[in-house]
Amino acid sequence: MRNWSRFLIGATLSVLLALGLTRFVGNEYFFFATYVVLQFIVLATAWNILGGYGGYVNFGASAFFAVGAYCAVALTQSYALALPLQILAAALVTGLLGFAVGALTLRLRGIYFSIATVAVAVICETVIMNWSFVGGARGTTVLQPAAPAFFSSYTRLLFFVMALLALLAVAFARFVETSWIGRGLRAIRDNEEAAESVGVPTLKLKLFAATASGALMGAAGAPFALYMNFIEPTSAFSLNYSVSALAMPLIGGSANWLGPVIGAILLAGTQQIVTVTISSELNVLIVGLLLVVFVVAAPHGILGLWHKLVARGGQRP
Amino acid sequence: MSAPLLQVGALFKRFGGFTALAAVSFDVPAGQRLGIIGPNGSGKTTLINCICGTLRHDNGSVRLSGVDVSALPTYRRTRLGLARSFQIPRPFYSMSVAQNIAVALEYGVGRRRVHASAARKEGLTVLDRLGLTAKANADVGSLTQVDLRRLELARALATQPRLLILDEVMAGLSSVEVDDMLETLASLNREGITIVMIEHIMRAIMGFSQRVICLDAGSIVADGEPAAVINSAIVQKIYLGG
């Protein structure tokens, strides 16, 4: 309980900080860049609910992200839905997508789910490519509406919305992790047959995690078109999302809700800085190299490294 | 008259063209200590897997206190009071000993879910019973083979079973350790837990069981008093050839 109250205080302060930033930071590019970092916090946190806690690797984060984005576009085109409703609808659709992929493959243990997620990414991209209502392969322009009175630009509003989403995702992941659901998922990751034999409803928990994870990824993608003012399949389904969603929790540490946050800030932050200072092509290379380094040198991520150092320090007099 | 605790009726299991279990039928009354023997590959572990739901049988039925559980997933059977240990220990490696037990306490009892402090007490009792109290906070990775076997049993016990099925829980233990384990099992049985034990250690089977079943090539070839089964012509032939 005390832990939750500390978390709530931290969360409230973060919201106020985000709100304060939109008022007092003059540089527009700051919001443009930070939005991406926040978006990756949501993606990495979402991936970690199934991949980190339950041990089922999703290679198709980009599919969930892009389907969320296109869901918002389709709804805007046809009903001019408000942004919060777009996000909600996107989460609903990608949650269902996660459930469907899970229901088809999670009855089997092992890599079947992972393979299916790759296939889902390919299928979804092909469908969108050929769906002219949302622009098909050419893409489509999505105009930002006028910013509400409090925010001086729409990008600032999107930044704030994504900050709220990131907070929501992290709070949810933290709840799952510390609840009976998280303990069950951990047992599944350690040994699924043993988990089932001590009474863990493995299929139900896996489906729950796949649905929640999918929904959050879709929510992360929903404002994408508004943020870019434009959307086309190749960038929305970019491999970068799939790789990053998986690399960030692994680099930060996948056993704890803080891991994906640290990984996302570190990786997405570096990518943003590199894009501006060196080259925008180096992005994925950096993610790849860091992933290799961490898998070899620190398989439990930064948090694992930290715990190891603390444990070693504690042993010395 | 109430139904026997476990009823296995004409159980069939095939793997492709290979028949692992062919019409296996037997009842286990509540409170019994049953030993299952048979050469390697005779279907002992497959039988356990089918009873527990880890494998789905092709034909036949498994009843627990008269209720057909054939269609239920493993975790539901566990919550009905059916617990097992695995031949090769399968602990949750990322957790401590106490956390391993906690998962079983939290999930194993299902709707009979108990209060957190009561669960903690129950967990300590289980650990104490198997001599794991001192290692409660140890990483599972640091445990010896004996302790892994004890943990395997402790975790099964934490689900508060009526029927405990043990798959070679004593394999690889020294003579003294086997005696310890047998004593623990006997005291569990005195408290009302029915125990089905697969074992290759004859001393354990003979000393512990009230009844022995011998499986060969997926069928029951002998069923009865331990001494009678061991000395029967067919069991002698299976084990010694001739």
Coordinates of all heavy atoms in Angstrom, one line a residue, chain B residues 166-228:
Chain B
L166 N 2.8 -39.1 -7.2 CA 4.3 -38.8 -7.2 C 5.0 -39.6 -8.3 O 4.9 -40.8 -8.3 CB 4.8 -39.2 -5.8 CG 4.1 -38.5 -4.6 CD1 4.6 -39.1 -3.3 CD2 4.4 -37.0 -4.7
D167 N 5.7 -38.9 -9.1 CA 6.4 -39.6 -10.2 C 7.9 -39.7 -9.9 O 8.6 -38.7 -10.0 CB 6.2 -38.8 -11.5 CG 6.6 -39.6 -12.7 OD1 7.1 -40.7 -12.6 OD2 6.4 -39.1 -13.9
E168 N 8.3 -40.8 -9.3 CA 9.7 -41.0 -9.0 C 10.2 -39.9 -8.1 O 11.3 -39.3 -8.4 CB 10.5 -41.3 -10.2 CG 10.1 -42.5 -10.9 CD 11.2 -43.0 -11.9 OE1 12.4 -42.8 -11.5 OE2 10.8 -43.5 -12.9
V169 N 9.5 -39.6 -7.0 CA 10.0 -38.5 -6.2 C 11.2 -38.9 -5.4 O 11.9 -38.0 -4.9 CB 8.8 -38.1 -5.3 CG1 8.7 -39.0 -4.1 CG2 9.0 -36.7 -4.8
M170 N 11.6 -40.1 -5.4 CA 12.8 -40.5 -4.6 C 14.0 -40.9 -5.5 O 15.0 -41.3 -5.0 CB 12.4 -41.7 -3.7 CG 11.6 -41.3 -2.5 SD 11.0 -42.6 -1.6 CE 9.3 -42.7 -2.1
A171 N 13.8 -40.8 -6.8 CA 14.9 -41.1 -7.7 C 16.2 -40.3 -7.3 O 16.1 -39.1 -7.2 CB 14.5 -40.9 -9.1
G172 N 17.3 -41.0 -7.2 CA 18.6 -40.3 -7.0 C 18.8 -40.0 -5.5 O 19.8 -39.3 -5.2
L173 N 17.9 -40.4 -4.6 CA 18.1 -40.0 -3.2 C 18.9 -41.2 -2.5 O 18.8 -42.3 -2.9 CB 16.8 -39.9 -2.5 CG 15.9 -38.7 -3.0 CD1 14.8 -38.4 -1.9 CD2 16.7 -37.5 -3.3
S174 N 19.6 -40.8 -1.5 CA 20.4 -41.8 -0.7 C 19.4 -42.6 0.1 O 18.3 -42.2 0.3 CB 21.4 -41.2 0.1 OG 20.8 -40.6 1.2
S175 N 19.9 -43.7 0.7 CA 19.1 -44.6 1.5 C 18.4 -43.9 2.6 O 17.2 -44.0 2.9 CB 20.0 -45.8 1.9 OG 19.2 -46.6 2.8
V176 N 19.2 -43.1 3.3 CA 18.7 -42.3 4.5 C 17.6 -41.3 4.0 O 16.5 -41.2 4.6 CB 19.8 -41.5 5.2 CG1 19.3 -40.8 6.4 CG2 20.9 -42.5 5.6
E177 N 17.9 -40.7 2.9 CA 16.9 -39.7 2.4 C 15.6 -40.3 1.9 O 14.6 -39.8 2.1 CB 17.6 -38.9 1.2 CG 18.7 -38.0 1.6 CD 19.7 -37.6 0.5 OE1 19.5 -38.1 -0.6 OE2 20.5 -36.8 0.8
V178 N 15.8 -41.6 1.4 CA 14.6 -42.3 1.0 C 13.7 -42.6 2.3 O 12.5 -42.4 2.3 CB 14.9 -43.6 0.3 CG1 13.7 -44.5 0.2 CG2 15.5 -43.3 -1.1
D179 N 14.4 -43.0 3.4 CA 13.7 -43.3 4.6 C 12.9 -42.0 5.1 O 11.8 -42.1 5.5 CB 14.6 -43.8 5.7 CG 15.1 -45.2 5.4 OD1 14.4 -45.9 4.6 OD2 16.1 -45.6 5.9
D180 N 13.6 -40.9 5.1 CA 13.0 -39.6 5.5 C 11.8 -39.3 4.7 O 10.7 -39.0 5.2 CB 14.0 -38.5 5.2 CG 15.0 -38.3 6.4 OD1 14.8 -39.1 7.4 OD2 15.9 -37.5 6.3
M181 N 11.9 -39.5 3.4 CA 10.8 -39.2 2.5 C 9.6 -40.1 2.7 O 8.5 -39.6 2.8 CB 11.3 -39.3 1.0 CG 10.4 -38.8 -0.1 SD 10.1 -37.0 0.0 CE 11.3 -36.4 -1.2
L182 N 9.9 -41.4 2.9 CA 8.9 -42.3 3.2 C 8.1 -42.0 4.5 O 6.9 -42.1 4.5 CB 9.4 -43.8 3.3 CG 9.8 -44.4 2.0 CD1 10.5 -45.8 2.2 CD2 8.6 -44.6 1.1
E183 N 8.9 -41.5 5.5 CA 8.3 -41.2 6.7 C 7.3 -40.0 6.5 O 6.2 -40.0 7.0 CB 9.4 -40.8 7.7 CG 9.0 -41.0 9.2 CD 10.2 -40.9 10.0 OE1 11.1 -41.8 10.0 OE2 10.3 -39.9 10.8
T184 N 7.8 -39.0 5.8 CA 6.9 -37.8 5.5 C 5.7 -38.3 4.8 O 4.6 -37.8 5.1 CB 7.7 -36.8 4.6 OG1 9.0 -36.6 5.1 CG2 6.9 -35.5 4.4
L185 N 5.8 -39.1 3.8 CA 4.7 -39.6 3.0 C 3.7 -40.3 3.8 O 2.5 -40.2 3.8 CB 5.1 -40.4 1.8 CG 5.9 -39.7 0.7 CD1 6.3 -40.7 -0.4 CD2 5.1 -38.5 0.1
A186 N 4.2 -41.2 4.8 CA 3.4 -42.0 5.6 C 2.6 -41.0 6.5 O 1.4 -41.3 6.7 CB 4.2 -42.9 6.4
S187 N 3.2 -40.0 7.0 CA 2.4 -39.1 7.9 C 1.4 -38.3 7.1 O 0.3 -38.0 7.7 CB 3.4 -38.2 8.7 OG 3.8 -37.1 7.9
L188 N 1.7 -38.0 5.9 CA 0.7 -37.3 5.1 C -0.5 -38.2 4.8 O -1.7 -37.8 4.9 CB 1.3 -36.9 3.7 CG 2.3 -35.8 3.7 CD1 2.9 -35.7 2.3 CD2 1.6 -34.5 4.1
N189 N -0.2 -39.5 4.6 CA -1.3 -40.5 4.4 C -2.1 -40.6 5.6 O -3.3 -40.8 5.5 CB -0.6 -41.8 4.0 CG -1.7 -42.9 3.7 OD1 -1.8 -43.8 4.5 ND2 -2.5 -42.7 2.7
R190 N -1.5 -40.6 6.8 CA -2.2 -40.8 8.0 C -3.2 -39.6 8.2 O -4.3 -39.7 8.8 CB -1.3 -40.8 9.2 CG -0.7 -42.2 9.5 CD -0.1 -42.3 10.9 NE 1.1 -41.4 11.1 CZ 2.3 -41.7 10.7 NH1 2.6 -42.8 10.1 NH2 3.3 -40.8 10.9
E191 N -2.9 -38.4 7.6 CA -3.7 -37.3 7.7 C -4.9 -37.3 6.7 O -5.7 -36.4 6.6 CB -2.9 -36.0 7.6 CG -2.1 -35.7 8.8 CD -1.0 -34.7 8.4 OE1 -1.2 -33.9 7.5 OE2 0.1 -34.8 9.1
G192 N -4.9 -38.4 5.9 CA -6.0 -38.6 5.0 C -5.7 -38.3 3.5 O -6.6 -38.4 2.7
I193 N -4.5 -38.0 3.2 CA -4.2 -37.8 1.8 C -3.9 -39.2 1.1 O -3.1 -40.0 1.6 CB -2.9 -36.9 1.6 CG1 -3.2 -35.6 2.2 CG2 -2.6 -36.8 0.1 CD1 -2.0 -34.6 2.1
T194 N -4.6 -39.4 0.0 CA -4.4 -40.6 -0.8 C -3.2 -40.5 -1.6 O -3.0 -39.4 -2.2 CB -5.6 -40.9 -1.7 OG1 -6.8 -40.7 -0.9 CG2 -5.6 -42.2 -2.4
I195 N -2.3 -41.5 -1.7 CA -1.1 -41.3 -2.4 C -0.9 -42.4 -3.5 O -1.0 -43.6 -3.2 CB 0.1 -41.3 -1.4 CG1 0.0 -40.1 -0.5 CG2 1.5 -41.3 -2.2 CD1 1.1 -40.1 0.6
V196 N -0.6 -42.0 -4.7 CA -0.3 -42.9 -5.8 C 1.2 -42.6 -6.1 O 1.6 -41.5 -6.4 CB -1.2 -42.6 -7.0 CG1 -0.7 -43.5 -8.2 CG2 -2.6 -43.0 -6.7
M197 N 2.0 -43.6 -6.0 CA 3.4 -43.4 -6.2 C 4.0 -44.3 -7.3 O 3.9 -45.5 -7.3 CB 4.1 -43.8 -4.8 CG 5.6 -43.7 -4.8 SD 6.1 -43.7 -3.1 CE 6.3 -45.5 -2.8
I198 N 4.7 -43.7 -8.2 CA 5.4 -44.4 -9.2 C 6.9 -44.5 -8.7 O 7.4 -43.4 -8.3 CB 5.5 -43.7 -10.6 CG1 4.1 -43.7 -11.2 CG2 6.5 -44.3 -11.5 CD1 4.1 -43.1 -12.6
E199 N 7.4 -45.6 -8.7 CA 8.8 -45.7 -8.1 C 9.5 -46.9 -8.7 O 8.9 -47.9 -9.0 CB 8.7 -45.8 -6.6 CG 10.0 -45.4 -5.9 CD 10.5 -44.0 -6.3 OE1 9.9 -43.0 -6.0 OE2 11.5 -44.0 -7.0
H200 N 10.8 -46.8 -8.9 CA 11.7 -47.9 -9.3 C 12.4 -48.5 -8.1 O 12.8 -49.6 -8.1 CB 12.7 -47.5 -10.3 CG 12.1 -47.4 -11.7 ND1 11.5 -48.4 -12.3 CD2 12.1 -46.4 -12.6 CE1 11.1 -48.1 -13.5 NE2 11.4 -46.8 -13.7
I201 N 12.4 -47.7 -7.0 CA 13.1 -48.3 -5.8 C 12.2 -49.3 -5.1 O 11.2 -48.9 -4.5 CB 13.5 -47.1 -4.8 CG1 14.3 -46.1 -5.6 CG2 14.2 -47.6 -3.6 CD1 14.6 -44.8 -4.8
M202 N 12.5 -50.6 -5.2 CA 11.6 -51.6 -4.7 C 11.4 -51.5 -3.2 O 10.3 -51.8 -2.7 CB 12.2 -53.0 -5.0 CG 11.8 -53.5 -6.4 SD 10.0 -53.5 -6.5 CE 9.8 -53.4 -8.3
R203 N 12.5 -51.1 -2.5 CA 12.4 -51.0 -1.0 C 11.3 -50.0 -0.7 O 10.4 -50.3 0.2 CB 13.7 -50.5 -0.5 CG 13.8 -50.5 1.0 CD 15.2 -50.4 1.5 NE 15.8 -49.1 1.1 CZ 15.6 -48.0 1.8 NH1 14.9 -48.1 2.9 NH2 16.2 -46.9 1.4
A204 N 11.2 -48.9 -1.4 CA 10.2 -47.9 -1.1 C 8.8 -48.4 -1.5 O 7.9 -48.2 -0.7 CB 10.5 -46.6 -2.0
I205 N 8.7 -49.0 -2.6 CA 7.4 -49.6 -3.0 C 6.9 -50.6 -2.0 O 5.8 -50.5 -1.6 CB 7.5 -50.2 -4.4 CG1 7.6 -49.1 -5.5 CG2 6.4 -51.2 -4.7 CD1 6.3 -48.5 -5.9
M206 N 7.8 -51.5 -1.7 CA 7.3 -52.6 -0.8 C 7.0 -52.1 0.6 O 6.1 -52.5 1.3 CB 8.4 -53.7 -0.7 CG 8.7 -54.4 -2.0 SD 7.3 -55.2 -2.7 CE 7.1 -56.6 -1.6
G207 N 7.8 -51.2 1.1 CA 7.6 -50.7 2.5 C 6.4 -49.7 2.6 O 5.8 -49.6 3.6
F208 N 6.1 -49.1 1.5 CA 5.1 -48.0 1.6 C 3.7 -48.4 1.1 O 2.7 -48.1 1.8 CB 5.6 -46.8 0.8 CG 4.6 -45.6 0.8 CD1 4.6 -44.8 2.0 CD2 3.8 -45.4 -0.2 CE1 3.8 -43.8 2.0 CE2 2.9 -44.3 -0.2 CZ 2.9 -43.5 1.0
S209 N 3.6 -49.2 0.0 CA 2.3 -49.4 -0.6 C 1.5 -50.4 0.1 O 2.0 -51.4 0.7 CB 2.6 -49.9 -2.0 OG 3.6 -49.2 -2.7
Q210 N 0.2 -50.2 0.1 CA -0.8 -51.2 0.5 C -1.2 -52.1 -0.7 O -1.6 -53.2 -0.5 CB -2.0 -50.5 1.1 CG -1.8 -49.7 2.3 CD -3.0 -48.8 2.6 OE1 -3.6 -48.3 1.7 NE2 -3.3 -48.7 3.9
R211 N -1.0 -51.6 -1.8 CA -1.4 -52.2 -3.0 C -0.4 -51.8 -4.2 O 0.1 -50.7 -4.2 CB -2.8 -51.8 -3.4 CG -3.3 -52.2 -4.7 CD -4.7 -51.5 -4.9 NE -5.2 -51.6 -6.3 CZ -6.1 -50.9 -6.8 NH1 -6.6 -49.9 -6.1 NH2 -6.5 -51.0 -8.0
V212 N -0.2 -52.7 -5.1 CA 0.8 -52.4 -6.2 C 0.1 -52.8 -7.5 O -0.5 -53.8 -7.6 CB 2.1 -53.2 -6.0 CG1 3.0 -53.1 -7.3 CG2 2.9 -52.6 -4.8
I213 N 0.3 -51.9 -8.5 CA -0.1 -52.2 -9.8 C 1.1 -52.3 -10.7 O 2.0 -51.4 -10.6 CB -1.1 -51.1 -10.4 CG1 -2.5 -51.2 -9.7 CG2 -1.2 -51.1 -11.9 CD1 -3.4 -50.1 -10.1
C214 N 1.2 -53.3 -11.6 CA 2.3 -53.4 -12.5 C 1.8 -53.1 -13.9 O 0.9 -53.8 -14.4 CB 3.0 -54.7 -12.4 SG 4.4 -54.9 -13.5
L215 N 2.4 -52.2 -14.6 CA 2.1 -51.9 -16.0 C 3.1 -52.5 -16.9 O 4.3 -52.5 -16.6 CB 2.1 -50.4 -16.2 CG 0.9 -49.5 -15.9 CD1 1.2 -48.1 -16.3 CD2 -0.3 -50.0 -16.7
D216 N 2.7 -53.0 -18.0 CA 3.6 -53.4 -19.0 C 3.0 -53.1 -20.4 O 1.9 -53.5 -20.7 CB 4.0 -54.9 -18.9 CG 5.1 -55.3 -19.9 OD1 6.0 -54.5 -20.1 OD2 4.9 -56.4 -20.5
A217 N 3.7 -52.4 -21.3 CA 3.3 -52.1 -22.6 C 1.9 -51.5 -22.6 O 1.0 -51.9 -23.4 CB 3.3 -53.4 -23.5
G218 N 1.6 -50.7 -21.6 CA 0.3 -49.9 -21.7 C -0.8 -50.7 -21.1 O -2.0 -50.2 -21.2
S219 N -0.6 -51.8 -20.4 CA -1.7 -52.5 -19.8 C -1.4 -52.9 -18.4 O -0.2 -53.1 -18.1 CB -2.1 -53.8 -20.6 OG -2.4 -53.5 -21.9
I220 N -2.4 -53.1 -17.6 CA -2.1 -53.6 -16.2 C -2.0 -55.1 -16.3 O -2.9 -55.8 -16.7 CB -3.3 -53.2 -15.3 CG1 -3.3 -51.7 -15.1 CG2 -3.2 -53.9 -13.9 CD1 -4.5 -51.1 -14.3
V221 N -0.8 -55.6 -15.8 CA -0.6 -57.0 -15.8 C -0.7 -57.7 -14.5 O -0.9 -58.9 -14.4 CB 0.8 -57.4 -16.5 CG1 0.8 -57.0 -17.9 CG2 1.9 -56.7 -15.7
A222 N -0.7 -56.8 -13.4 CA -0.9 -57.4 -12.1 C -1.4 -56.3 -11.2 O -1.0 -55.1 -11.3 CB 0.5 -57.9 -11.5
D223 N -2.2 -56.6 -10.2 CA -2.8 -55.7 -9.3 C -3.2 -56.4 -8.0 O -3.9 -57.4 -8.1 CB -4.1 -55.1 -10.0 CG -4.8 -54.1 -9.1 OD1 -4.4 -53.9 -8.0 OD2 -5.7 -53.4 -9.6
G224 N -2.6 -55.9 -6.9 CA -3.0 -56.6 -5.7 C -2.0 -56.3 -4.5 O -1.3 -55.3 -4.5
E225 N -1.9 -57.2 -3.6 CA -1.0 -57.0 -2.4 C 0.5 -56.9 -3.0 O 0.8 -57.6 -3.9 CB -1.0 -58.3 -1.6 CG -2.4 -58.6 -0.9 CD -2.4 -58.0 0.5 OE1 -1.4 -58.2 1.2 OE2 -3.4 -57.4 0.9
P226 N 1.3 -56.0 -2.4 CA 2.6 -55.9 -2.9 C 3.4 -57.2 -3.1 O 3.9 -57.5 -4.2 CB 3.3 -55.0 -1.9 CG 2.2 -54.2 -1.2 CD 1.0 -55.1 -1.3
A227 N 3.4 -58.0 -2.0 CA 4.2 -59.2 -2.1 C 3.7 -60.2 -3.2 O 4.5 -60.7 -4.0 CB 4.2 -60.0 -0.8
A228 N 2.4 -60.2 -3.3 CA 1.8 -61.1 -4.3 C 2.1 -60.7 -5.7 O 2.4 -61.5 -6.6 CB 0.2 -61.2 -4.1

